[in-house]
Amino acid sequence: MSEEKKRKKGLSRRDFMKATGGAAAMAGVAAGGLLISPGIARAYELPGKWDQEADVVIVGFGGAGACAAIEAAEAGASVIIIDKAPVPGGSTTLSGGVIYAAGTALQKKAGIQDTPDEMFKYLKACGQGIADDKLLRVASDMSAENVDWLGALGVEFTNELLYVSGMEKVPEYAAITPPKARGHRCVGTGGALFKALKKGVDSKKITTMSRTEAVRLIARPCATASSQVVGVQTKKGGKDLYIFARKAVILASGGIMASEGTKPWLQHYSPDLAQCLPAGDMNATGDGYRLGMSCGAALAGMNKGALLPSVMLPGYKMAGIVYINIWGLPNIYVDSSGKRFVDEAAYYVLVAEEMVRKQVFKGYSIFDSNTIKKALELVPKGIEKTRTLALGIDPEKLDEGVQKGYIWKGQTPAELAGNMKVDPAVLEKTIQSYNSAAAAGQDKEFGRTKGLAPLNAPPYYAFAIHLGMVAHSGGLKINEKSQVLDTFDQVIPRLYAAGRDAIGIFGGRYPGSGGAISCLVAFGRIAGKQAAAEKNQEKTSA
């Protein structure tokens, strides 16, 4: 082969970009957008003037955006956070306030010997070949430091709220690495966690803009990647505002949540999730995905999500997470016929998988007065009352739910079944069979061990459960520095992503409660530090 042929064969994408005049030239080469979309071409439309500017511009004021802002400001950068919601917090506020971590001071105090290496092994197994090992390693190695970092901001963690929060005890995973309590739940759950983060943001005098929607990323052609980000076009009060980012833009808008508005997009990219009810932040409408894609960003893990049984209360648009089995409280799940269909106390993602496999898109959680007593015992330990049975259901006000029609009650299983419009004979037999198994301490039908106690203390209660989506596990591809990658795995200059806008540590199965917060703190902090370290770019306009 001649040197000329070798040179042509070895022509790199970077060389090609340079030879054709950068990404803008590729639009013509690509025959109408095969390699570059019309969205990218529009990104090159610079504004006539910039309305505001900062070193770092962050899209989204949830947990990830707050972490990024604090670290960027700490590094000396000026920061603007824009968020389309009227109040900040996103899914972090709605969460249980758990961060997944290994080798922490709290674990050591509790006598738990754990290491980031063991956490990495577990996360890798949950990733099922989809998760990026490099990202798993970063998140694992940072996890203990991140718990300390949150503690320094005022988040309170206690040994009493330290627990095994995922599938670690399932034989498949226990064989890979010994089960350890890595779920660090904070006192006051997600609301308290975000309150501390917001206080940290406020202390840095960071500019925050609520009710401000990110319309598009503004970019310029780049010789080494799809484009180079220079700012964000926003809309506030019907007016367009252009914000210049001297150093970088960070996407942290919360990913995408199931809803009527996002269903068409989910049906195309994540069809298994399109049938779910929303059980997370309703303001998460895929803005970060859309913005990143407009600059050529790649997506990964798109048909995966954190799914779990949820409850939809009247008048609400968002389903509430069912906690009753997360805490190991006695109850059973039955389908519309009144029969059990799963080990209710299994990790909630496994329960959700069974709901999908057996097509149980609506079922029921059944419990008794003893369950209510056990639920209320959780409150002094730092669990909010409306997070003991299911989000939004107060165990002391169940009769109000009965009156409003979303909770059913009966002095006997037969009476309960009649009120639920379920065959009384079937439900009576189901509860009888379960009680016998619980009394014997052995559930031969489904192998349940956690929370295995008889339901024999009337009155009996039930509420409907649905398949809910807490978070989308996919997102924009990033590297260990939280930089967004394009479809050629090239860094898109000055564009970062964290939280649910990025693929992060997730893959085939959601690893456990606290995984999302562990991910958003790690890559939010990294994004903030890296963005602040960028050199200032030239300010240009049309």
Side-chain angles (χ1 to χ4, degrees), residues 20 88 184 243 252 317 331 366 436 453 493 499 525 537:
T20 56
H184 294 64
I243 305 175
K317 294 182 178 180
N331 83 313
I366 296 173
S436 296
R525 291 185 65 199
Q537 61 181 323

Side-chain angles (χ1 to χ4, degrees), residues 159-192:
N159 279 63
E160 197 170 25
L161 296 177
L162 182 64
Y163 71 115
V164 176
S165 64
M167 299 175 288
E168 294 92 338
K169 293 182 180 179
V170 175
E172 173 186 348
Y173 296 99
I176 295 169
T177 179
K180 298 290 173 66
R182 299 192 183 105
H184 294 64
R185 182 179 299 281
C186 74
V187 174
T189 63

Side-chain angles (χ1 to χ4, degrees), residues 50-72:
W50 297 98
D51 298 291
Q52 295 188 50
E53 62 182 86
D55 293 332
V56 178
V57 180
I58 300 173
V59 180
F61 194 4
C67 291
I70 291 168
E71 287 289 24

Side-chain angles (χ1 to χ4, degrees), residues 246-304:
R246 287 187 287 265
K247 294 180 180 292
V249 171
I250 300 173
L251 301 177
S253 68
I256 192 167
M257 179 50 55
S259 68
E260 284 304 310
T262 62
K263 194 168 186 177
W265 195 93
L266 287 171
Q267 285 174 329
H268 182 71
Y269 287 97
S270 305
D272 289 350
L273 309 185
Q275 60 194 332
C276 296
L277 293 180
D281 181 21
M282 295 292 288
N283 286 303
T285 54
D287 294 353
Y289 297 172
R290 172 176 53 81
L291 294 169
M293 291 170 70
S294 74
C295 291
L299 297 171
M302 296 310 291
N303 201 27
K304 300 294 181 181

Side-chain angles (χ1 to χ4, degrees), residues 54 56-62 65-70 79-83 88 201 206-210 212 243:
V56 178
V57 180
I58 300 173
V59 180
F61 194 4
C67 291
I70 291 168
V79 181
I80 291 177
I81 307 176
I82 63 172
D83 193 279
V201 169
I206 291 165
T207 300
T208 60
M209 300 170 62
S210 63
T212 306
I243 305 175

Side-chain angles (χ1 to χ4, degrees), residues 10 26 38 56 68 142 149 160 167 179 195 212 234 243 280 288 291 296 390 411 417 425 453 467 512-513:
M26 287 187 70
V56 178
M142 281 187 71
W149 186 78
E160 197 170 25
M167 299 175 288
K195 184 178 180 180
T212 306
T234 71
I243 305 175
L291 294 169
Q411 292 300 319
L467 191 63
S513 295

Side-chain angles (χ1 to χ4, degrees), residues 178-467:
K180 298 290 173 66
R182 299 192 183 105
H184 294 64
R185 182 179 299 281
C186 74
V187 174
T189 63
L193 191 150
F194 185 75
K195 184 178 180 180
L197 287 173
K198 185 177 183 301
K199 186 176 179 181
V201 169
D202 293 342
S203 72
K204 302 293 182 184
K205 303 191 184 307
I206 291 165
T207 300
T208 60
M209 300 170 62
S210 63
R211 302 180 189 271
T212 306
E213 182 180 3
V215 176
R216 71 179 175 104
L217 290 180
I218 301 168
R220 61 165 62 102
C222 176
T224 60
S226 301
S227 56
Q228 176 175 310
V229 175
V230 296
V232 184
Q233 177 185 344
T234 71
K235 189 175 288 291
K236 183 177 178 67
K239 181 183 178 182
D240 286 327
L241 295 174
Y242 297 90
I243 305 175
F244 176 65
R246 287 187 287 265
K247 294 180 180 292
V249 171
I250 300 173
L251 301 177
S253 68
I256 192 167
M257 179 50 55
S259 68
E260 284 304 310
T262 62
K263 194 168 186 177
W265 195 93
L266 287 171
Q267 285 174 329
H268 182 71
Y269 287 97
S270 305
D272 289 350
L273 309 185
Q275 60 194 332
C276 296
L277 293 180
D281 181 21
M282 295 292 288
N283 286 303
T285 54
D287 294 353
Y289 297 172
R290 172 176 53 81
L291 294 169
M293 291 170 70
S294 74
C295 291
L299 297 171
M302 296 310 291
N303 201 27
K304 300 294 181 181
L307 311 182
L308 81 176
S310 301
V311 59
M312 181 63 84
L313 303 181
Y316 285 72
K317 294 182 178 180
M318 189 189 89
I321 299 170
V322 176
Y323 286 102
I324 192 167
N325 290 310
I326 292 176
W327 308 131
L329 302 178
N331 83 313
I332 57 172
Y333 286 162
V334 300
D335 58 22
S336 57
S337 72
K339 296 180 180 178
R340 287 179 72 206
F341 61 91
V342 70
D343 170 5
E344 299 89 350
Y347 174 52
Y348 53 78
V349 169
L350 300 180
V351 174
E353 286 179 5
E354 281 297 283
M355 291 179 74
V356 172
R357 189 174 74 84
K358 295 180 177 177
Q359 299 290 286
V360 182
F361 295 110
K362 180 181 178 181
Y364 301 91
S365 172
I366 296 173
F367 53 99
D368 66 1
S369 61
N370 275 341
T371 307
I372 298 169
K373 291 177 184 177
K374 290 180 180 294
L376 292 173
E377 289 171 2
L378 296 172
V379 178
K381 298 177 181 179
I383 306 301
E384 298 168 16
K385 278 197 298 183
T386 53
R387 292 180 188 268
T388 54
L389 300 176
L391 187 62
I393 293 181
D394 187 334
E396 292 185 318
K397 298 179 180 179
L398 294 177
D399 285 343
E400 290 183 14
V402 174
Q403 292 173 1
K404 293 179 180 179
Y406 63 88
I407 292 176
W408 297 273
K409 180 180 179 179
Q411 292 300 319
T412 66
E415 182 183 355
L416 177 68
N419 292 333
M420 294 167 60
K421 310 299 183 190
V422 171
D423 188 328
V426 173
L427 188 60
E428 274 190 307
K429 184 178 179 180
T430 296
I431 293 177
Q432 227 171 38
S433 176
Y434 168 79
N435 283 347
S436 296
Q442 188 174 15
D443 178 19
K444 292 183 179 180
E445 191 172 10
F446 294 104
R448 178 175 177 175
T449 55
K450 183 181 177 182
L452 185 65
L455 302 176
N456 54 15
Y460 298 90
Y461 293 90
F463 58 78
I465 60 171
H466 306 266
L467 191 63

